[in-house]
Amino acid sequence: MTRRTVLGAATTAMALQGQNGPAKYVRFRKGTRVAYGALAGEEIRELSGDFLKGGKPNGTVHKLKDVKLLAPVAPGKVVAIARNYKSHLGTVAPPARPEMFYKPVACICGPDDPIILPKDSTDVHYEGELVAVIGKKLKNASKEQAAAGVFGVTCGNDVSERQWQGGPDKDIQWWRAKGSDTFGPLGPYVVAGIDYGKLMLRTRLNGKVVQEQSTSELIYDVPTMIAFTSKFVTLEPGDLVYTGTPGTTKKMSPGDMVEVDIEGIGVLRNPIKAE
Ligand code: MG
């Protein structure tokens, strides 16, 4: 990405801030068209292109209720971190370094999309998480450079099949435990210009709060995990970082509704369906 486009994205974010607070970006489908937009109340101001590439309002306005919101970003890669809240560790010692892993881009789905339980699955859990969206190319980044390279944040669900992840018949890698189709819900909005270091994260299963913790409780904060990752892997605009889940998790069943609600961002809602 050129310096000019990075500045363009930042300028758009600033231009769209104001009375309504931090800018909220979406990707949406209307009919057969897919476009990017900025949320303004119950309306979407369509952008000339991807907000990560400096897309600007093109004058077209849609009603939020008339569009299908998609995952707000189509990432080139998705990294995630394990064991990043003390409340999720139980008696396990905190990791000596950020415990990163990959989720495949193919598992990403959008708000309201069903999480499909694969036929052979028996123990699929939610993991409500803050997700950082990379806005600049980062390689061997310092923590300061990593912080400056975050475009914004959104909600994610690191859906996990516990038996494939750690049961007696577990796989060597978490390719299906955390990478089966639809195991990466994302959205509904990417929020830029928000301090994401102390936001309350809540997950609800069928309306009942099942996870509740502030992002200030992360063991490795967002700049630290991004700087660490960038020592090995170049991060590009649009790449995602799932930042870990707090507390304990439970199995989801067909007919359930799971919601990841992060203060200042929005609610990512997905129904559970059998394959
Ligand atoms: Mg997770």
Side-chain angles (χ1 to χ4, degrees):
M1 173 175 270
T2 65
R3 182 173 161 74
R4 202 171 128 212
T5 31
V6 170
L7 284 174
T11 307
T12 305
M14 282 188 285
L16 291 166
Q17 278 175 247
Q19 316 95 303
N20 299 321
K24 292 189 172 185
Y25 296 102
V26 297
R27 193 165 64 102
F28 64 94
R29 189 175 63 228
K30 190 174 185 185
T32 56
R33 281 186 65 235
V34 171
Y36 292 87
L39 191 69
E42 294 301 307
E43 293 183 334
I44 293 171
R45 296 184 212 164
E46 187 174 313
L47 302 178
S48 55
D50 188 345
F51 51 85
L52 291 167
K53 296 177 180 170
K56 291 182 173 50
N58 65 7
T60 305
V61 177
H62 307 275
K63 289 201 167 70
L64 184 58
K65 67 177 178 57
D66 292 341
V67 309
K68 161 74 173 103
L69 290 183
L70 306 174
V73 178
K77 56 188 165 301
V78 182
V79 293
I81 187 168
R83 301 180 176 176
N84 204 30
Y85 284 93
K86 280 191 180 128
S87 60
H88 188 61
L89 285 172
T91 55
V92 178
R97 59 175 178 272
E99 197 62 64
M100 309 307 299
F101 63 93
Y102 276 118
K103 283 174 81 75
V105 294
C107 79
I108 298 297
C109 65
D112 302 313
D113 289 344
I115 296 169
I116 308 286
L117 306 179
K119 280 200 181 85
D120 289 349
S121 66
T122 59
D123 197 17
V124 177
H125 291 213
Y126 51 81
E127 288 192 358
E129 305 197 3
L130 176 78
V131 177
V133 179
I134 302 297
K136 293 180 184 175
K137 186 171 182 170
L138 296 171
K139 176 65 178 172
N140 285 318
S142 65
K143 287 210 300 189
E144 292 70 27
Q145 290 166 331
V150 174
F151 179 90
V153 288
T154 187
C155 307
N157 194 334
D158 176 22
V159 177
S160 305
E161 214 289 358
R162 295 289 184 229
Q163 297 309 309
W164 301 342
Q165 183 183 359
D169 194 28
K170 68 183 179 187
D171 298 317
I172 292 174
Q173 295 201 338
W174 294 343
W175 70 281
R176 57 177 181 152
K178 288 173 174 281
S180 291
D181 292 346
T182 73
F183 276 21
L186 187 78
Y189 325 117
V190 173
V191 182
I194 188 175
D195 176 3
Y196 51 82
K198 193 178 177 185
L199 299 176
M200 188 53 74
L201 181 161
R202 291 185 184 87
T203 306
R204 289 184 292 269
L205 186 63
N206 301 324
K208 184 186 169 200
V209 175
V210 287
Q211 294 184 294
E212 185 171 32
Q213 192 116 47
S214 169
T215 59
S216 63
E217 301 291 319
L218 288 169
I219 294 173
Y220 292 105
D221 67 12
V222 171
T224 301
M225 67 183 96
I226 290 174
F228 176 78
T229 303
S230 80
K231 288 169 69 176
F232 311 98
V233 175
T234 302
L235 293 169
E236 304 277 357
D239 288 350
L240 303 176
V241 184
Y242 279 62
T243 64
T245 205
T248 54
T249 63
K250 287 194 181 76
K251 176 181 171 175
M252 302 182 291
S253 303
D256 285 349
M257 179 70 79
V258 64
E259 297 171 297
V260 180
D261 182 345
I262 304 181
E263 178 187 6
I265 300 178
V267 180
L268 172 63
R269 184 176 293 112
N270 297 95
I272 313 303
K273 285 194 177 165
E275 185 173 13

